[in-house]
Amino acid sequence: MDTEIRPYRIDIPQADLEDLRGRLARTRWPDELPGVGWSYGVPLARVKELAEYWATGYSWREQEARLNAAPQFTTTVFGQNIHFQHVRSPEPGALPLILSHGWPSTIADFTGLIGPLSDPRAHGGDPADAFHLVVPSLPGYGFSGPTASPGWDVSRVAQAWAGLMGRLGYSRYGAQGGDWGARISPELARVDPSHVAGVHTNAFVALPSGDPRELEGLTPDERKSLGGLARWREERSGYAQIQATRPQTLAYALADSPMGQLAWYTEWFDDYGDNAGTIDRDAILTNVTVYWLTGTAGSAARLYRESAASWGPAEPLKVPLGVAVFPGDSTIRRFVERDHDVVHWSEFDRGGHFAALQAPDLLTSDIRAFFRGLR
């Protein structure tokens, strides 16, 4: 079994960047109905705005250097290449922590968290809150490369993370994540409960059980959150349905058209216009560019197909759970507490689904606060 951990550095050939610019210049734009806003999908003006900056102002080399500032490695787990950043804290008592991103994110989302979490002393924090950080690219995503076999669902990813942390010599560690990371991190605690100290999540989803008594006495805010779940199912779940049923068909368009990939991802980063402009355009484009340069947009979509069978209720956690709720999250406390030991709950009036990009300071503080009692 190949257990070697190999140093890695991102170094995209210039020819690939020139090819991208050429494709952007040859974009064949669709038409658009007048006055429909976001109701038919991401507006033409929004995509053209980002595309113009992508072609003339965005610097991949600057973003590449930011990513390369953190030590990176690759290893093989279950026959799959796994790319990860590994940042050891200068503090001797640091707690190991694995951060899991979601879709259509990449490890780039966590760039603003790495310094404050690994070296709080240098960022105005308490050195007792330090973490050794492991930040992997999900299998099939970005620099982990495409998955080469079926079966890479949430459970297998969690098992791979357990193997990775053991390979790095971490016998006790925490897990954090949002979006897919909010499913992978709890699953990691299920497959490796003797080593996971606790799980912190944002964008956590807990659904009603179907018992109407659960809905009695909901507060106005909770009813609003429940309405958000209904709105997602009715208006916003198209991307998930397609990726959960026909990811290969979608892959042809995403692999061949950088503009199509930009629009597909921007719709979610902008959240149908609700978050338009709240995420820095460099952050959006870095995520999109990573998928484009690695050719992994299609394989990333496969996680929805692989995990579709496990969308239902999850087994209760046997480790402490911390939940951070940001604007737009449809996270209802009573549903989470029905199934899990929630020892930490925070609600914020700033940020959003992509909290690591929209409110990194709040997310950092909440991660520190949760794990403070578990060291």
Side-chain angles (χ1 to χ4, degrees):
M1 182 174 64
D2 180 10
T3 60
E4 181 184 1
I5 295 176
R6 300 169 289 273
Y8 183 84
R9 184 173 179 82
I10 303 168
D11 186 15
I12 299 299
Q14 186 62 29
D16 291 357
L17 301 180
E18 295 300 330
D19 175 73
L20 171 57
R21 291 192 184 95
R23 288 171 181 264
L24 294 176
R26 295 190 300 272
T27 296
R28 182 182 178 188
W29 294 102
D31 71 324
E32 180 180 51
L33 292 173
V36 298
W38 284 80
S39 62
Y40 280 65
V42 59
L44 185 60
R46 175 58 172 160
V47 180
K48 283 191 170 183
E49 171 196 357
L50 287 170
E52 173 65 20
Y53 179 66
W54 198 8
T56 63
Y58 173 79
S59 172
W60 165 255
R61 293 303 184 197
E62 289 183 9
Q63 302 303 319
E64 187 179 66
R66 291 180 71 232
L67 293 172
N68 280 330
Q72 296 172 83
F73 305 87
T74 62
T75 193
T76 303
V77 184
F78 302 149
Q80 170 67 36
N81 180 67
I82 300 295
H83 162 267
F84 61 99
Q85 294 173 316
H86 185 199
V87 182
R88 290 192 60 85
S89 172
E91 304 297 338
L95 175 70
L97 177 67
I98 184 167
L99 302 174
S100 297
H101 64 80
W103 180 94
S105 294
T106 67
I107 60 166
D109 281 18
F110 295 122
T111 301
L113 275 63
I114 287 177
L117 288 177
S118 65
D119 192 4
R121 186 192 302 270
H123 292 80
D126 186 343
D129 289 330
F131 297 93
H132 299 307
L133 297 178
V134 179
V135 188
S137 298
L138 300 187
Y141 287 61
F143 300 105
S144 282
T147 48
S149 62
W152 278 98
D153 59 4
V154 165
S155 179
R156 183 179 287 186
V157 175
Q159 293 172 50
W161 279 193
L164 174 61
M165 296 302 278
R167 193 171 297 179
L168 293 173
Y170 293 136
S171 60
R172 185 174 184 272
Y173 59 91
Q176 199 284 330
D179 194 85
W180 275 119
R183 294 192 64 199
I184 293 167
S185 299
E187 186 64 18
L188 176 54
R190 296 185 186 99
V191 303
D192 198 21
S194 62
H195 298 114
V196 176
V199 173
H200 181 279
T201 65
N202 58 287
F204 189 91
V205 175
L207 301 174
S209 66
D211 184 347
R213 291 174 297 181
E214 274 193 340
L215 307 182
E216 295 175 0
L218 287 177
T219 68
D221 285 344
E222 289 173 332
R223 291 193 177 278
K224 182 179 179 181
S225 294
L226 196 61
L229 286 171
R231 185 185 178 201
W232 181 86
R233 286 193 299 269
E234 295 167 5
E235 302 177 18
R236 302 185 170 191
S237 61
Y239 76 98
Q241 293 295 327
I242 291 172
Q243 295 185 160
T245 55
R246 287 296 183 266
Q248 185 63 32
T249 305
L250 174 66
Y252 298 104
L254 298 183
D256 189 59
S257 171
M259 204 63 68
Q261 187 174 290
L262 174 64
W264 190 248
Y265 290 170
T266 297
E267 180 165 304
W268 192 236
F269 280 121
D270 279 357
D271 197 14
Y272 286 69
D274 292 353
N275 291 331
T278 67
I279 299 177
D280 180 77
R281 60 185 179 177
D282 280 296
I284 294 175
L285 290 172
T286 295
N287 279 313
V288 175
T289 306
V290 167
Y291 286 107
W292 176 260
L293 295 174
T294 58
T296 54
S299 61
R302 287 199 288 262
L303 182 56
Y304 287 80
R305 176 70 174 82
E306 302 289 0
S307 301
S310 62
W311 282 118
E315 178 185 343
L317 293 182
K318 298 179 180 179
V319 305
L321 174 66
V323 179
V325 182
F326 290 88
D329 289 345
S330 298
T331 310
I332 298 175
R333 185 167 188 168
R334 66 177 66 188
F335 298 158
V336 182
E337 291 182 332
R338 175 193 63 210
D339 300 326
H340 307 295
D341 178 21
V342 179
V343 302
H344 177 91
W345 185 275
S346 300
E347 298 186 17
F348 300 100
D349 58 8
R350 176 167 59 85
H353 183 84
F354 298 93
L357 294 176
Q358 294 167 295
D361 56 333
L362 298 181
L363 184 58
T364 295
S365 295
D366 207 62
I367 293 170
R368 289 172 175 170
F370 169 70
F371 284 106
R372 199 169 288 147
L374 300 176
R375 292 177 179 270

